[in-house]
Amino acid sequence: MTDPAPAERYARARETAQLDRRHPITADFAASQRFTLDPFQIEGCRALEDGRSVLVAAPTGAGKTIVGEFAVHLAMREPGDKAFYTTPMKALSNQKFRELQDVYGPDEVGLLTGDTNINGSARIVVMTTEVLRNMLYADSPALRGLRYVIMDEVHYLADRFRGAVWEEVIIHLAPSVRLVSLSATVSNAEEFGDWLDTVRGDTEVIVSETRPVPLEQHVLVRGDLLPLFDDRAGVATAQVNQELMRIRSFKGQNFERNHRVQAANSARQAGYEASRRRPNRGGKRPVRSANVQRIERLDRPDVVELLGRSNLLPAIFFIFSRAGCDAAVQQVRRSGVRLTSPDERREIRAVIEERTRTLLEEDLAVLGFWEWRENLERGVASHHAGLLPAFKEVVEELFQRKLVKVVFATETLALGINMPARTVVLEKLEKFNGEARVAITSGEYTQLTGRAGRRGIDVEGHAVIQWTEGLDPQAVAALASRRTYPLNSSFRPTYNMAVNLIDQFGRAKAREILESSFAQFQADRAVVGIARQVREQEESLAGYQKAMTCDRGDFAEYSRIRRELSDLEKTNRKDAGASRRTRDERQRHIDGLRKQMQRHPCHQCPDREHHARWAERYWKLKREIDRLRRQIDSRTGTVARIFDRVVDVLGALEYVSVDAEGTTTLTPAGRTMRRIYGERDLLVAESLRRGIWKDLDAASLAALACSLVYEPRRDDAGPGERGLPRGPFRPAFEATLTLWQELDDVEQEHRLPGTEPVAAGLAQAMHTWARGGMLDRVLIEADMAAGDFVRWAKQTIDLLDQLSLVADQPIAGTARKALDAVRRGIVAYSGV
């Protein structure tokens, strides 16, 4: 591409100068940054300076958060203005909190994450999205002066468990609040932007596909890093490296021959191995016949050393299993690989000691602390949800400081945490989704490889795909070059949402609000497309009807008789096992239809079969049109219809009442439910109302709260009667389970899907923990990693906190004791 002519460069510079004069705050902010802002960042800042909301969709690592930081900058220019920065994860909130503290000082920045409350009345507050939703429903005084809300990782609204929270916040924020929505690159950003513009007013949509650091894609074949794309063609054309295609082609051609060779040699090979019976030393596979071509995979230590020699560290290896991540670290450790200098090891140990000093001495061995520390000092670590949060935070900090060189991680690392690497390695392009092994999507591929390339450090990032049996380079190229990650709403009305909306706006207005959700917006847009399809097909239908017109009579009627007759005859042939009576009745119907057909005037038409062919097309298309019309009926007002069913359940259980004029209001039980959040909102509210937990002690209430939030693994058979805590827990749990069944029946009656059964798989471990039990015993009872136990414990704390605020005595007091009993040791640790 040639450089622009001097006149063109002058015109551009002049235009930029004019825009800078119109946006002086943006110009000053850009000048204060360590690096030159990209055009999309400047565009986002200018839109905010003009008083508009913005949606910024850009690749991972592109620097879209700078637009959010500019919104904070604008808020801090005006006395009394506030900015809330929301994130989907506590870890991300903690990270952002520290970053903003570095800029504005500790007095101006607060943090609210459910279990952490630091300086909540500050002018800049970082929080999880759920905290802001709860503040909006409670009409919190902290909302006064709120000028900007930054919603980081807003594409989380597609999350089927938590996504509705993002839409609730977007819909309920005051019109005066400017919204900064930051998203990964999604294929329907404009559609999402149109919705934001509809519900929030003037919203600028800014989409950037450009990575700040170019990405080089490689396939690791034996010990060679081969480029995925032909250097002369580039990613845009997805022209695959022909050498890779030759390797695949060669393997494909030899497959059948190799299979025959293996079969022919199998008896001889068996005899050979039987004669030797020697152990397979060094972990290598037996040598195959020379005729059987196989590309051996490098062991992980060899891959790490190859990347080191190629100057491609630090690297993140994405392995789609926790056990696989931990095993990979052990494999590298056993090989003797050491990636750090003595000075780096001293620095690593200092960071570890500083960040883990609050952990109890007796817990360190249980947590595998010493081995974990030794691995870190070698420059190697794993990162997954089973790790203790304290350990994950240390890994993240050491990786950011370039002290840890290799991290083996699950895909959760790709979501939001600031951990860029020079290289990302994908060992496989498929993962287990809980039911089966499935190929990763192009969106997931983009998210994972988006970690490669550190802005300001690397000239380019590198993605390395390891060759596996059956790898198709063309399919990998398609994954790497597509950007097809659609953002789809997961919004659905909940009981808590319904009572809050009715309380604030009344039922009719609440219905209108729900109809403004992105879910309904997408459904309506789909309806528009389907309706257009129906109109087009109706034109074709009219053409078919005209083509089958017969001058002897109504051919549509005649063809209907023929069709019904044909269907019945087909049924009669297939349904040989039907009773004699049924077959006789059917035969009488067939005989009647046949007479009707033969008497019809169109039956004698010489062009009858010509008309019949058009009639067949007519009925086939009519069936399709009827199906589409049913689809339109089912989509129109979908969200509001679900809301009506939710309110009907609330009415049946007396959480709301309807007066003679049809006005819906909350009962005392409904007012209690306003402050109960979560999947089990109805079950919790009804349990409190019936008083079935009033006899529980603190440990038993903690165990029961844990049973309400815990989601067992698919293979978890449950503890059985003998595995449940003794004492008051058992009768209370049985009563809760019976109540769940009752509520599930009520939901089914009102055509709602219901919820999963209450699961007590973690109850005994939580009971032991709340009674002060040792960590090693608790983790054995839980049969899970420390990080998983901490995650469920924190969700238990969230529910206990709600109970302490909304329940009557004695449950409220017991909940406070239970909360203190659970929040200790590794659960109480906070990295902030």
Side-chain angles (χ1 to χ4, degrees), residues 496-540:
N496 170 272
M497 187 192 303
V499 293
N500 274 293
L501 289 173
I502 290 169
D503 187 50
Q504 282 189 287
F505 307 106
R507 183 169 181 172
K509 177 69 174 168
R511 225 173 173 278
E512 285 177 28
I513 288 169
L514 291 174
E515 286 180 331
S516 69
S517 65
F518 187 44
Q520 192 57 57
F521 185 83
Q522 286 192 308
D524 289 344
R525 284 221 162 172
V527 165
V528 170
I530 295 167
R532 188 184 308 116
Q533 200 177 337
V534 167
R535 283 195 301 275
E536 290 167 0
Q537 291 188 353
E538 280 176 337
E539 290 174 17
S540 299

Side-chain angles (χ1 to χ4, degrees), residues 555-771:
F555 202 89
E557 182 187 51
Y558 174 73
S559 65
R560 182 190 57 75
I561 296 168
R562 274 181 56 143
R563 188 172 193 81
E564 191 177 350
L565 176 62
S566 172
D567 289 346
L568 270 174
E569 287 176 334
K570 199 180 293 179
T571 303
N572 220 17
R573 286 195 298 273
K574 286 183 178 176
D575 195 12
S579 68
R580 176 72 176 270
R581 184 179 172 184
T582 302
R583 289 178 65 83
D584 286 348
E585 283 179 6
R586 196 182 290 142
Q587 189 59 50
R588 278 195 294 274
H589 194 181
I590 287 171
D591 293 342
L593 284 170
R594 191 172 286 127
K595 284 175 187 173
Q596 214 178 328
M597 179 184 74
Q598 289 166 352
R599 289 178 190 150
H600 199 285
C602 292
H603 191 63
Q604 306 304 324
C605 176
D607 294 325
R608 183 185 70 198
E609 293 310 308
H610 174 72
H611 296 326
R613 283 193 290 276
W614 284 107
E616 190 59 37
R617 294 175 193 173
Y618 172 88
W619 289 111
K620 187 176 180 182
L621 186 60
K622 189 173 186 311
R623 273 204 313 273
E624 174 63 11
I625 290 172
D626 289 344
R627 185 187 68 79
L628 291 173
R629 280 190 176 131
R630 285 194 300 273
Q631 210 172 329
I632 289 172
D633 290 341
S634 70
R635 291 192 179 200
T636 306
T638 307
V639 176
R641 268 205 308 277
I642 295 171
F643 172 72
D644 286 339
R645 292 171 193 168
V646 165
V647 175
D648 288 345
V649 169
L650 291 170
L653 297 168
E654 299 180 353
Y655 284 86
V656 300
S657 62
V658 183
D659 64 19
E661 281 98 45
T663 305
T664 305
T665 54
L666 302 190
T667 63
R671 284 193 286 277
T672 298
M673 188 186 276
R674 285 179 313 166
R675 293 183 291 165
I676 298 172
Y677 303 96
E679 290 285 309
R680 306 278 189 190
D681 48 7
L682 182 60
L683 181 58
V684 171
E686 193 66 3
S687 297
L688 292 178
R689 185 163 69 162
R690 298 193 188 188
I692 60 179
W693 301 339
K694 61 180 175 24
D695 296 327
L696 292 174
D697 56 33
S700 298
L701 184 59
L704 207 141
C706 178
S707 300
L708 293 173
V709 298
Y710 176 61
E711 294 167 16
R713 299 186 301 267
R714 290 178 180 274
D715 57 350
D716 191 343
E721 180 69 23
R722 295 181 62 187
L724 296 176
R726 297 182 182 278
F729 174 85
R730 293 189 184 189
F733 178 74
E734 287 300 323
T736 305
L737 200 55
T738 302
L739 176 57
W740 168 79
Q741 290 167 334
E742 286 178 31
L743 296 178
D744 195 61
D745 289 342
V746 174
E747 289 178 314
Q748 299 288 347
E749 286 168 20
H750 290 85
R751 290 179 296 156
L752 287 171
T755 55
E756 290 296 312
V758 181
L762 197 53
Q764 181 61 62
M766 191 58 67
H767 190 268
T768 301
W769 179 254
R771 290 176 62 218

Side-chain angles (χ1 to χ4, degrees), residues 278-296:
R278 288 208 299 268
N280 177 21
R281 300 188 186 279
K284 303 247 183 201
R285 296 171 186 261
V287 177
R288 294 179 175 227
S289 161
N291 290 325
V292 181
Q293 297 295 325
R294 178 181 173 84
I295 296 176
E296 297 289 346

